[in-house]
Amino acid sequence: MEMKKRVSLELRHRSPTEVQELFLDNCRSSEGKIEGITDEFSNLELLSLINVGLTSVADLPKLDKLKKLELSDNRISGGLEVLAERLVNLTHLNLSGNKFKDISTLEPLKKLPQLKSLDLFNCEVTNLADYRESIFKLLPQLTYLDGYDIDDCEASDSDGDVVEDEDEEEGESEDFEEEEEEDEEDVVAEEDNDDDSDSADEDGEVNGDVDSEDDEDEDEDDEEDGDEDSSPAKGEKRKRDPEDDDEEEEEDD
């Protein structure tokens, strides 16, 4: 896709003044030049032109608010004076994968007082002896070169570190609260178990007393039933034995 058409698509019915970030990566530039970007993008803060076949930045408009410019994986070898003239507030510049061979080609960047980060990965200039020392000497305003400061400390986001520390503290407090909740739950569970066992013992004792009384009542009933069975029922005549009849006949004689 051509760069002009890509710019139109990225606008999405907005005016150029409304755009703060513009990504045109992997589109095609015409004759290695920037197209479709004008000074109407007055509020643009980030412009990304990665792998678009650029050989020159001569057609870059004046963008006073631009802070980050991505130009990696192109074929630029010089002409950085334009950046110093038109991007006065630039803080981050990525020139990785371009055709810079000599330290002198980077001298125009001295006129960018806000420049804090510069990337030159995969450029021939990085193979020079004392490359890092030479760049930091040439551009004293730099904080990071290829992601590391002059003491070889890796670039870090101070705000991100603060947020991370806060997250860790929050995580620790949450873990502590969870442990307290678990301890409370264990205590409650133990109390519940004690209450259950106590009530079970009480129930057992009460039930045992009731059961023993019931057993005693049943035994007494059984004994009474046995006595009643052994004695004749009321109103029932006692059977006469044959021997009693013989005795009565002899007395009559």
Side-chain angles (χ1 to χ4, degrees), residues 92-129:
H92 292 72
L93 176 61
N94 191 340
L95 296 173
S96 300
N98 280 280
K99 304 296 182 181
F100 296 99
K101 298 180 179 180
D102 303 319
I103 299 291
S104 59
T105 58
L106 302 172
E107 286 189 10
L109 300 181
K110 292 191 295 184
K111 297 181 180 180
L112 290 171
Q114 306 299 324
L115 189 63
K116 301 300 179 185
S117 177
L118 174 64
D119 289 313
L120 293 166
F121 289 112
N122 297 324
C123 292
E124 290 186 35
V125 68
T126 61
N127 296 324
L128 298 176

Coordinates of all heavy atoms in Angstrom, one line a residue, residues 92-129:
H92 N 13.1 10.7 21.5 CA 13.4 9.3 21.1 C 13.5 9.2 19.6 O 12.6 9.5 18.9 CB 12.3 8.3 21.6 CG 12.3 8.2 23.1 ND1 11.7 9.2 23.9 CD2 12.7 7.2 24.0 CE1 11.8 8.9 25.2 NE2 12.3 7.7 25.3
L93 N 14.7 8.6 19.2 CA 14.9 8.4 17.8 C 15.5 7.0 17.5 O 16.5 6.7 18.1 CB 15.9 9.5 17.3 CG 16.3 9.4 15.8 CD1 15.2 9.5 14.9 CD2 17.4 10.4 15.5
N94 N 14.8 6.3 16.6 CA 15.3 4.9 16.3 C 15.7 4.9 14.9 O 14.9 5.0 14.0 CB 14.1 3.9 16.6 CG 14.6 2.5 16.5 OD1 15.6 2.2 16.0 ND2 13.8 1.6 17.1
L95 N 17.0 4.7 14.7 CA 17.6 4.6 13.4 C 18.2 3.2 13.1 O 19.0 3.1 12.2 CB 18.7 5.7 13.2 CG 18.3 7.1 13.3 CD1 19.5 8.1 13.3 CD2 17.4 7.5 12.1
S96 N 17.8 2.2 13.8 CA 18.3 0.9 13.7 C 18.1 0.3 12.3 O 17.0 0.6 11.6 CB 17.6 -0.1 14.7 OG 17.8 0.4 16.0
G97 N 19.0 -0.4 11.8 CA 18.9 -1.1 10.5 C 19.0 -0.2 9.3 O 18.4 -0.5 8.2
N98 N 19.7 1.0 9.5 CA 19.9 1.9 8.3 C 21.3 1.9 7.9 O 22.1 0.9 8.2 CB 19.4 3.3 8.7 CG 17.9 3.5 8.7 OD1 17.4 3.7 7.6 ND2 17.3 3.4 9.8
K99 N 21.8 2.8 7.1 CA 23.1 2.7 6.4 C 24.1 3.7 7.0 O 25.0 4.1 6.3 CB 22.9 3.0 4.9 CG 21.9 2.2 4.2 CD 22.3 0.7 4.2 CE 21.3 -0.2 3.5 NZ 21.7 -1.6 3.5
F100 N 24.0 4.0 8.3 CA 25.0 4.9 8.8 C 26.3 4.2 9.1 O 26.3 3.2 9.8 CB 24.4 5.5 10.2 CG 23.2 6.4 10.0 CD1 21.9 5.8 10.2 CD2 23.3 7.7 9.5 CE1 20.8 6.6 10.0 CE2 22.2 8.4 9.3 CZ 20.9 7.9 9.5
K101 N 27.4 4.8 8.5 CA 28.7 4.2 8.6 C 29.7 5.0 9.5 O 30.5 4.4 10.2 CB 29.3 4.0 7.3 CG 28.5 3.1 6.3 CD 29.2 3.0 5.0 CE 28.4 2.1 4.0 NZ 29.1 2.0 2.7
D102 N 29.5 6.3 9.5 CA 30.5 7.1 10.2 C 29.8 7.9 11.4 O 28.6 8.3 11.3 CB 31.1 8.1 9.3 CG 31.8 7.4 8.1 OD1 32.5 6.4 8.4 OD2 31.7 7.9 6.9
I103 N 30.6 8.2 12.4 CA 30.1 9.0 13.5 C 29.7 10.4 13.0 O 28.7 11.0 13.5 CB 31.2 9.1 14.6 CG1 31.6 7.8 15.2 CG2 30.7 10.1 15.7 CD1 30.5 7.1 16.0
S104 N 30.4 10.9 12.0 CA 30.2 12.3 11.5 C 28.8 12.5 11.0 O 28.2 13.6 11.0 CB 31.2 12.7 10.5 OG 31.1 11.8 9.4
T105 N 28.2 11.4 10.5 CA 26.8 11.5 9.9 C 25.8 11.8 11.0 O 24.6 12.2 10.7 CB 26.5 10.2 9.1 OG1 26.5 9.1 10.0 CG2 27.4 10.0 7.9
L106 N 26.2 11.5 12.2 CA 25.2 11.7 13.3 C 25.4 13.1 14.0 O 24.6 13.4 15.0 CB 25.4 10.6 14.4 CG 25.2 9.2 13.8 CD1 25.6 8.2 14.9 CD2 23.8 8.9 13.4
E107 N 26.3 13.9 13.6 CA 26.6 15.2 14.3 C 25.4 16.1 14.3 O 25.2 16.9 15.3 CB 27.8 15.8 13.6 CG 29.1 15.2 13.9 CD 30.3 16.0 13.4 OE1 30.1 17.2 13.0 OE2 31.5 15.5 13.5
P108 N 24.6 16.1 13.3 CA 23.4 17.0 13.3 C 22.5 16.8 14.5 O 21.8 17.7 14.9 CB 22.7 16.7 12.0 CG 23.7 16.3 11.1 CD 24.7 15.5 11.9
L109 N 22.6 15.6 15.1 CA 21.7 15.3 16.3 C 22.1 16.1 17.5 O 21.4 16.2 18.5 CB 21.7 13.8 16.6 CG 21.3 12.9 15.4 CD1 21.3 11.4 15.9 CD2 19.8 13.3 15.0
K110 N 23.3 16.8 17.4 CA 23.7 17.6 18.6 C 22.7 18.8 18.8 O 22.6 19.4 19.8 CB 25.1 18.2 18.3 CG 26.2 17.1 18.4 CD 27.6 17.7 18.4 CE 27.9 18.5 17.1 NZ 29.3 19.0 17.1
K111 N 22.0 19.1 17.7 CA 21.1 20.3 17.8 C 19.7 19.9 18.3 O 18.8 20.7 18.2 CB 21.0 20.9 16.4 CG 22.3 21.5 15.9 CD 22.2 22.1 14.5 CE 23.5 22.7 14.1 NZ 23.3 23.4 12.7
L112 N 19.6 18.7 18.8 CA 18.3 18.2 19.4 C 18.5 18.1 20.9 O 18.9 17.1 21.4 CB 17.9 16.8 18.8 CG 17.5 16.8 17.4 CD1 17.3 15.3 16.9 CD2 16.2 17.5 17.2
P113 N 18.3 19.3 21.6 CA 18.6 19.3 23.0 C 17.8 18.4 23.9 O 18.2 18.0 25.0 CB 18.3 20.8 23.4 CG 17.3 21.2 22.4 CD 17.7 20.5 21.1
Q114 N 16.6 18.0 23.4 CA 15.7 17.1 24.2 C 15.9 15.6 24.0 O 15.3 14.7 24.6 CB 14.2 17.4 23.9 CG 13.9 18.9 24.1 CD 14.1 19.3 25.5 OE1 13.9 18.6 26.5 NE2 14.5 20.6 25.7
L115 N 16.8 15.3 23.0 CA 17.1 13.9 22.7 C 17.7 13.1 23.8 O 18.8 13.4 24.3 CB 18.0 13.8 21.4 CG 18.1 12.4 20.8 CD1 16.8 11.9 20.3 CD2 19.2 12.4 19.7
K116 N 16.9 12.1 24.3 CA 17.4 11.3 25.4 C 17.7 9.8 25.0 O 18.5 9.2 25.7 CB 16.3 11.2 26.5 CG 15.9 12.6 27.0 CD 17.1 13.3 27.7 CE 16.7 14.7 28.2 NZ 17.9 15.4 28.8
S117 N 17.1 9.3 24.0 CA 17.3 7.9 23.6 C 17.6 7.8 22.1 O 16.8 8.3 21.3 CB 16.1 7.1 24.0 OG 16.2 5.8 23.6
L118 N 18.6 7.1 21.7 CA 19.0 6.9 20.3 C 19.3 5.4 20.1 O 20.1 4.8 20.9 CB 20.2 7.8 20.0 CG 20.8 7.6 18.6 CD1 19.8 7.9 17.5 CD2 22.1 8.3 18.4
D119 N 18.7 4.8 19.1 CA 19.0 3.4 18.7 C 19.6 3.3 17.4 O 19.1 3.9 16.4 CB 17.7 2.6 18.8 CG 17.1 2.4 20.2 OD1 17.9 2.1 21.1 OD2 15.9 2.7 20.4
L120 N 20.8 2.6 17.3 CA 21.5 2.4 16.1 C 21.8 0.9 15.8 O 22.8 0.6 15.1 CB 22.8 3.2 16.1 CG 22.6 4.8 16.1 CD1 23.9 5.4 16.4 CD2 22.1 5.2 14.7
F121 N 21.0 0.0 16.4 CA 21.3 -1.4 16.2 C 21.4 -1.7 14.7 O 20.6 -1.2 13.8 CB 20.1 -2.2 16.7 CG 20.0 -2.2 18.2 CD1 19.0 -1.6 18.9 CD2 21.0 -2.9 19.0 CE1 18.9 -1.6 20.3 CE2 20.9 -2.9 20.4 CZ 19.9 -2.3 21.0
N122 N 22.3 -2.6 14.3 CA 22.4 -3.1 13.0 C 22.8 -2.0 12.0 O 22.6 -2.2 10.8 CB 21.2 -3.8 12.5 CG 20.8 -5.1 13.3 OD1 21.7 -5.8 13.7 ND2 19.5 -5.3 13.6
C123 N 23.4 -1.0 12.5 CA 24.0 0.0 11.6 C 25.6 -0.2 11.6 O 26.1 -0.6 12.6 CB 23.7 1.4 12.0 SG 22.0 1.9 11.9
E124 N 26.2 0.0 10.5 CA 27.6 -0.2 10.4 C 28.4 0.6 11.4 O 29.5 0.2 11.9 CB 28.1 0.0 9.0 CG 27.7 -1.0 8.0 CD 28.3 -0.7 6.6 OE1 29.5 -0.3 6.6 OE2 27.6 -1.0 5.6
V125 N 27.9 1.7 11.8 CA 28.7 2.6 12.7 C 28.9 1.9 14.1 O 29.9 2.2 14.8 CB 27.9 3.9 12.9 CG1 26.6 3.7 13.6 CG2 28.7 5.0 13.6
T126 N 28.1 1.0 14.4 CA 28.2 0.3 15.7 C 29.4 -0.6 15.8 O 29.8 -1.1 16.8 CB 26.9 -0.6 16.0 OG1 26.8 -1.6 15.0 CG2 25.7 0.3 16.1
N127 N 30.0 -0.9 14.6 CA 31.2 -1.7 14.5 C 32.5 -1.0 14.8 O 33.6 -1.6 14.8 CB 31.3 -2.5 13.2 CG 30.1 -3.4 13.0 OD1 29.6 -4.1 13.9 ND2 29.6 -3.5 11.8
L128 N 32.4 0.4 14.9 CA 33.6 1.2 15.0 C 34.2 1.0 16.5 O 33.4 0.8 17.4 CB 33.3 2.7 14.8 CG 32.8 3.0 13.4 CD1 32.5 4.5 13.3 CD2 33.9 2.7 12.4
A129 N 35.5 1.2 16.6 CA 36.1 1.1 17.9 C 35.6 2.3 18.7 O 35.5 3.4 18.2 CB 37.6 1.1 17.7

